[in-house]
Amino acid sequence: DLEESVTLGHAGVELYPPCFPHRVGSVDNLCALDNHLGGRFQTRHTIADLDGAITLHRYVLQLRPAGHASHPLHLHDLAVCLIERFHDPAIVDDLKEAISLEQTALELSAPGDPSYEASKGSLATCLQIK
C-alpha cells in the first residue's frame, strides 16, 4: 500500500539523524521515500508530496556530489520532479532549473549510459515546453 510505503520510508530516514556519520548510507532510504512520495503525488496530486520529493532530491545531491557515479542520475530525478511541479501550477523557475539540471547531467555522463539517455529525452521535453 502506497500510504504505508511513505510512512515506512519516513521512519527509515528518521533512523539516521542529520549529524549521524553514516547518514550517507541512508541514501537508498531517501531515494525509496522519494519514489513513494512521487507515486503518491501521481495518484493524489498533493503538491506537498511533490515538494517533499524535491527536498529529498536536493538533499541526496548534497550526499552524492559532482564526481559521484550516480550524481547525473540524481540531477535527472530532481529535474523530473521540477518539470512535474512546473506543470501543476506552471512555475517557470522550475522549468528553467530542470533545463539546467539536465544539461549538467548530460555533461557529467557518457553517451550510451542510461542516465544520459534519460536526461537527453527529458531535456528535449523541457525545451519543447519552453
Side-chain angles (χ1 to χ4, degrees):
D1 158 274
L2 191 54
E3 196 64 37
E4 185 177 6
S5 296
V6 171
T7 301
L8 292 173
H10 277 294
V13 169
E14 293 303 315
L15 291 174
Y16 297 93
C19 61
F20 191 70
H22 298 291
R23 184 139 187 168
V24 172
S26 72
V27 169
D28 291 339
N29 289 337
L30 293 169
C31 291
L33 176 55
D34 166 64
N35 288 334
H36 298 312
L37 287 171
R40 192 166 72 177
F41 172 77
Q42 292 297 324
T43 59
R44 294 188 181 171
H45 296 282
T46 305
I47 198 72
D49 287 336
L50 189 56
D51 288 342
I54 289 169
T55 298
L56 287 173
H57 278 305
R58 292 186 192 286
Y59 186 66
V60 167
L61 283 169
Q62 291 175 8
L63 297 174
R64 300 265 169 95
H68 190 279
S70 65
H71 186 75
L73 177 62
H74 295 301
L75 288 171
H76 167 71
D77 290 343
L78 174 57
V80 169
C81 285
L82 290 169
I83 293 165
E84 191 70 42
R85 190 168 71 177
F86 167 79
H87 283 301
D88 208 44
I91 300 172
V92 175
D93 288 342
D94 285 346
L95 182 62
K96 289 178 183 177
E97 185 177 0
I99 290 170
S100 176
L101 290 167
E102 293 295 17
Q103 289 171 330
T104 302
L106 285 172
E107 292 169 6
L108 297 173
S109 55
D113 184 279
S115 65
Y116 181 89
E117 297 304 319
S119 289
K120 188 168 81 172
S122 181
L123 178 59
T125 300
C126 289
L127 293 173
Q128 286 176 340
I129 293 168
K130 187 178 174 186

